[in-house]
Amino acid sequence: MLKKFIKRFLPDHHKIKKQKALKIFGSLLHDPNLWHLNRRSASGAFGLGLFFAFWPVPFQMWLSAGAAIPLRVNLPLSVATVWITNPFTMPPIFYGAYLVGATILGTDTQAFHFQLSWDWVVQSIETIGPAFLLGCGVCSIVFGLAGFFGLNYIWRWSVVKAWQVRQAKYAAKQAKVKVKQP
């Protein structure tokens, strides 16, 4: 079942609650809905994590955790999903977001060479910034909604499938019982 698969990758909530950095949230972390894994909390957390994964900021995990608490979705899954954008996947993901923004704005894509300097950041904000930020916003919303509804659908499908398997086993068991009776 999907719940067991997801639980294998999530850390223990008791260890997370003891983290010193999370003490700022106080008793908010004691809400059981932040730690339970059900269809609503998992799909909401997955969508929320994907939403913040496309934000080009260095503190995506904090934003995801901060939004997961009032929305009462699974906190570890929300934070873990943000890591879809990691140092290895950020360049292609953010370049794709730039292409989406350039397409929406109807502007030509510009060739650029990344440099780790403040001057490059200032120059790129003026040239590729609008298309990049628009693309990040659009991808954030589209992938967040797709993640929410996609996981919700997959969860429902897995529950229906499990129910059908149980019913088939029960029907087969009942058929064997009827055959054995004289």
Side-chain angles (χ1 to χ4, degrees):
M1 193 156 152
L2 189 60
K3 183 176 182 177
K4 291 178 185 175
F5 176 76
I6 293 173
K7 274 193 166 188
R8 284 193 297 169
F9 298 104
L10 294 179
D12 182 39
H13 71 276
H14 296 294
K15 290 180 183 177
I16 294 173
K17 287 179 186 179
K18 292 179 183 176
Q19 295 280 330
K20 289 182 181 179
L22 297 177
K23 296 289 184 188
I24 61 170
F25 293 114
S27 63
L28 292 173
L29 292 180
H30 298 292
D31 183 1
N33 289 315
L34 297 177
W35 310 105
H36 288 293
L37 197 57
N38 56 35
R39 181 180 50 87
R40 182 197 166 279
S41 69
S43 59
F46 191 67
L48 187 66
L50 284 176
F51 177 77
F52 284 113
F54 286 89
W55 286 31
V57 294
F59 45 88
Q60 298 164 320
M61 291 187 334
W62 287 100
L63 293 172
S64 184
I69 292 170
L71 293 175
R72 300 177 71 194
V73 297
N74 189 278
L75 181 65
L77 182 60
S78 174
V79 171
T81 306
V82 169
W83 276 95
I84 287 174
T85 51
N86 57 57
F88 298 109
T89 61
M90 273 186 190
I93 287 174
F94 285 150
Y95 182 70
Y98 165 68
L99 293 177
V100 168
T103 303
I104 291 172
L105 290 176
T107 59
D108 293 329
T109 56
Q110 300 177 9
F112 59 89
H113 301 286
F114 177 74
Q115 297 173 0
L116 191 58
S117 69
W118 185 251
D119 292 333
W120 183 85
V121 171
V122 171
Q123 280 182 331
S124 66
I125 286 176
E126 295 171 358
T127 56
I128 65 171
F132 173 65
L133 294 176
L134 177 65
C136 285
V138 168
C139 288
S140 180
I141 293 169
V142 168
F143 282 98
L145 288 173
F148 173 78
F149 289 114
L151 189 61
N152 198 359
Y153 175 77
I154 291 169
W155 194 288
R156 284 177 181 255
W157 177 80
S158 70
V159 168
V160 168
K161 210 59 167 156
W163 181 253
Q164 289 172 347
V165 167
R166 268 194 309 258
Q167 283 182 327
K169 284 181 181 179
Y170 180 74
K173 186 177 179 181
Q174 291 301 318
K176 286 181 182 178
V177 170
K178 287 183 180 180
V179 171
K180 290 181 180 179
Q181 291 179 354

